Amino acid sequence: MRSLARTHGWNRAALRSAATGAAVWLLAILAILAVFFSPTHLLSVQTAITGLVGFGLIAIAARWPDRSLIALIVFLPFQGFVLAKLWAWGMPTSVVRHMGAWKESLALGVTVAGTRNFLATGRRADTLDRIALGFVAIVVLYLLAQSAFLPSAPSSFSVRVLGFRQDAGFVLLLLGARHAPLPHNFLHRAGRAALAVAVVVAGVCVFEAIDSSGWNRFVVNTIQYTRYEIGVLHGNPPNPYDIRIYGNVAGTQIVRAGSVFLSALTCGFYLVLGFALALERAARREGTKWILPALILIGAGILLTQTRSAILAALVVGLIAFRPAAGRTQHWRTQLAIVVAALAIVAIPAALATGLTKRVTASNNADNAGHVSAFWDGVHTIEHHPLGSGLGTSAGVGQQFDQSSALVIPENNYLQVGIELGVVPMLVFIALTIALVLNLRTAARRRPHAAITAAWAAAAGLAVAAWFLQVWIDFAVAWTIWGMAGAALGASRVPVVQREPETTPALARPATEHPLPA
């Protein structure tokens, strides 16, 4: 009888599985028929196929969130060049445009994995989770019901979606990475991947500084990025034949390295995490054969961008690296001083040659005056619009769709949130940033891992830099930093101390206990 019951139970499970599979296939067939035979053509074949591929990527990312996060870290800096080259090889414009959604699919998959694991474990939300969810909820409110309380907001729903992705996407990725079931060695893998990509990006900076004409020919003629920017992204580059970034300091024209981002600002901010990883590994004597050249190369890349906010963020990283912390070697301060001295030997001549010293020390130039004026313009805009002007109406998305002179770019990430969403969301975002940095500091003290400490240092440095420029409007910067931060916070919950078995006599046990290998 028991075996018969088991057989009936198995048959019921098999029937239920077969019915579910049949229902899925039936829905798929009905969807295909609706696409091909719908008289109103509300859904095109291409849109349906793209949606199915997107859902497939989300499912794969939810199954393997660790690989998805590493894919985001590795490919985000190069996605523009890859898509531009595919388009140059003849791939249809619509296909290339849809392929750009790969990062959103992977990020959504990581978020789904984190949400599912959070609910399954029964873990309670802490302060950081509540602040992050509150901020996301506010942005969702603006996305869905912005016209109800901001009838004069000019942005369409599609622009609001892009604004939501820019303002809240990295916060969702933070929550997903924090709660996703990542393997124990994920931080080691992710740290190595982020450091390797930073070395490549910095190497391009150096090449661009040595042969800017050669780099310009490669981007314009070989990659054909400016043609892709016009034909696919519908952008309007200042000069389709020259992607170099020029500045003027004391009457002298300078070239600022933008590397694969074609933006000195984005490149400088992106390299801060790589600088923190290299500096922390140097302090812990990890990867001693190649870590010093990598550190010098990344530091030189930051200097060659001539982005003062990024240099300030790197200085904050250096100050944190000189603080006592578990896991660092006995004479780490002396060794780190030697490393910094070696970096200065390389950096000072480069700074003098590129005009960086004039750019930093100039106190009355037009650039500094523009920064101050933009800051106060942002403050006054928030005063006149305490509920904000709507999603996608400031830096980033606003610059892409609104070319009018009335567009306010405050050159301050916190004020940018205030301009779009109002005073209260701006204060919530400030609280979220502070809570993230404090939680990362606690995590670094709880678990002495190079990637966790580097994530803390980079987040702290870029939080300071965000006071002077819009640090988080680029996906490669925001999603990499906040994704690494979430993974670091999640990994810090793993116990790192392994106690000796009780069968060992107390006097025979060592006086100190050692952390498990990361």
Side-chain angles (χ1 to χ4, degrees):
M1 295 294 293
R2 187 175 300 174
S3 62
L4 183 62
R6 290 177 181 174
T7 302
H8 282 297
W10 181 86
N11 288 336
R12 290 176 182 174
L15 290 174
R16 191 181 300 111
S17 176
T20 303
V24 171
W25 278 106
L26 180 61
L27 288 175
I29 292 172
L30 291 176
I32 293 173
L33 292 176
V35 168
F36 278 96
F37 299 104
S38 173
T40 57
H41 300 289
L42 296 177
L43 184 65
S44 66
V45 176
Q46 189 177 40
T47 302
I49 294 175
T50 303
L52 290 174
V53 172
F55 279 116
L57 281 178
I58 293 173
I60 293 173
R63 176 65 179 83
W64 290 290
D66 56 325
R67 300 178 185 179
S68 301
L69 278 172
I70 291 179
L72 287 171
I73 292 172
V74 172
F75 295 114
L76 270 176
F78 310 106
Q79 73 153 355
F81 278 18
V82 172
L83 295 177
K85 194 58 183 176
L86 291 176
W87 185 72
W89 282 338
M91 184 170 287
T93 300
S94 58
V95 175
V96 173
R97 187 180 295 114
H98 286 305
M99 286 180 65
W102 69 273
K103 57 185 180 298
E104 287 85 356
S105 300
L106 295 186
L108 280 174
V110 174
T111 305
V112 169
T115 303
R116 187 169 56 196
N117 188 59
F118 178 79
L119 296 175
T121 56
R123 189 181 299 122
R124 298 184 62 181
D126 59 8
T127 302
L128 178 62
D129 290 330
R130 295 190 186 100
I131 297 175
L133 289 173
F135 179 75
V136 172
I138 293 173
V139 184
V140 169
L141 178 64
Y142 274 74
L143 172 66
L144 300 178
Q146 178 173 285
S147 57
F149 49 90
L150 289 177
S152 61
S155 59
S156 63
F157 182 75
S158 60
V159 174
R160 296 203 304 270
V161 170
L162 296 178
F164 174 85
R165 181 185 63 171
Q166 175 182 284
D167 292 347
F170 58 88
V171 181
L172 287 173
L173 187 59
L174 165 75
L175 294 171
R178 186 184 188 190
H179 297 291
L182 302 176
H184 70 280
N185 64 339
F186 174 78
L187 280 182
H188 180 70
R189 292 159 50 201
R192 292 187 63 179
L195 185 55
V197 174
V199 168
V200 174
V201 172
V204 175
C205 285
V206 174
F207 173 75
E208 185 178 359
I210 296 174
D211 186 7
S212 63
S213 298
W215 173 247
N216 182 71
R217 287 194 300 270
F218 174 77
V219 175
V220 174
N221 299 329
T222 304
I223 301 296
Q224 300 184 24
Y225 185 83
T226 52
R227 292 184 63 243
Y228 160 79
E229 188 177 5
I230 297 171
V232 178
L233 302 181
H234 303 297
N236 186 22
N239 186 348
Y241 306 101
D242 193 349
I243 52 87
R244 286 171 288 188
I245 304 163
Y246 297 96
N248 193 287
V249 178
T252 304
Q253 188 181 65
I254 60 174
V255 177
R256 302 172 61 187
S259 189
V260 296
F261 303 103
L262 307 184
S263 167
L265 305 181
T266 301
C267 184
F269 296 138
Y270 179 83
L271 289 176
V272 171
L273 176 61
F275 184 76
L277 287 166
L279 195 57
E280 192 60 35
R281 296 190 69 176
R284 297 169 186 265
R285 297 180 64 86
E286 298 177 8
T288 54
K289 292 184 179 180
W290 59 274
I291 201 65
L292 179 58
L295 177 60
I296 294 175
L297 182 63
I298 295 173
I302 295 175
L303 290 175
L304 290 172
T305 66
Q306 302 195 31
T307 304
R308 291 169 293 184
S309 300
I311 296 172
L312 176 61
L315 291 176
V316 173
V317 170
L319 291 175
I320 292 176
F322 273 101
R323 294 170 59 88
R328 290 170 178 162
T329 57
Q330 183 178 1
H331 305 290
W332 60 273
R333 290 197 183 195
T334 303
Q335 295 165 352
L336 201 56
I338 295 173
V339 170
V340 173
L343 182 61
I345 292 174
V346 176
I348 292 175
L352 293 173
T354 58
L356 175 62
T357 53
K358 295 180 180 179
R359 175 173 167 79
V360 173
T361 57
S363 59
N364 296 318
N365 58 28
D367 191 18
N368 288 336
H371 281 289
V372 175
S373 175
F375 175 85
W376 288 111
D377 286 344
V379 172
H380 297 322
T381 301
I382 296 174
E383 289 178 349
H384 291 98
H385 302 89
L387 293 179
S389 56
L391 281 172
T393 56
S394 187
V397 176
Q399 291 171 296
Q400 182 179 356
F401 291 95
D402 186 1
Q403 303 295 328
S404 65
S405 58
L407 188 68
V408 179
I409 309 298
E411 299 192 359
N412 179 301
N413 221 129
Y414 309 107
L415 290 180
Q416 180 221 328
V417 175
I419 289 174
E420 293 192 357
L421 305 177
V423 176
V424 174
M426 178 184 68
L427 296 177
V428 174
F429 182 72
I430 293 173
L432 172 62
T433 304
I434 295 173
L436 176 63
V437 173
L438 293 179
N439 275 265
L440 285 170
R441 184 184 66 175
T442 303
R445 293 174 176 176
R446 183 187 302 130
R447 182 174 181 185
H449 193 287
I452 298 178
T453 307
W456 165 41
L462 291 173
V464 174
W467 183 258
F468 304 98
L469 284 172
Q470 287 90 1
V471 172
W472 308 122
I473 63 174
D474 189 89
F475 299 116
V477 178
W479 290 20
T480 300
I481 300 294
W482 288 67
M484 281 288 295
L489 292 174
S492 66
R493 298 192 186 98
V494 178
V496 297
V497 176
Q498 183 179 20
R499 299 187 180 276
E500 296 291 334
E502 293 299 327
T503 55
T504 305
L507 294 178
R509 289 202 298 265
T512 59
E513 296 175 348
H514 302 282
L516 291 173

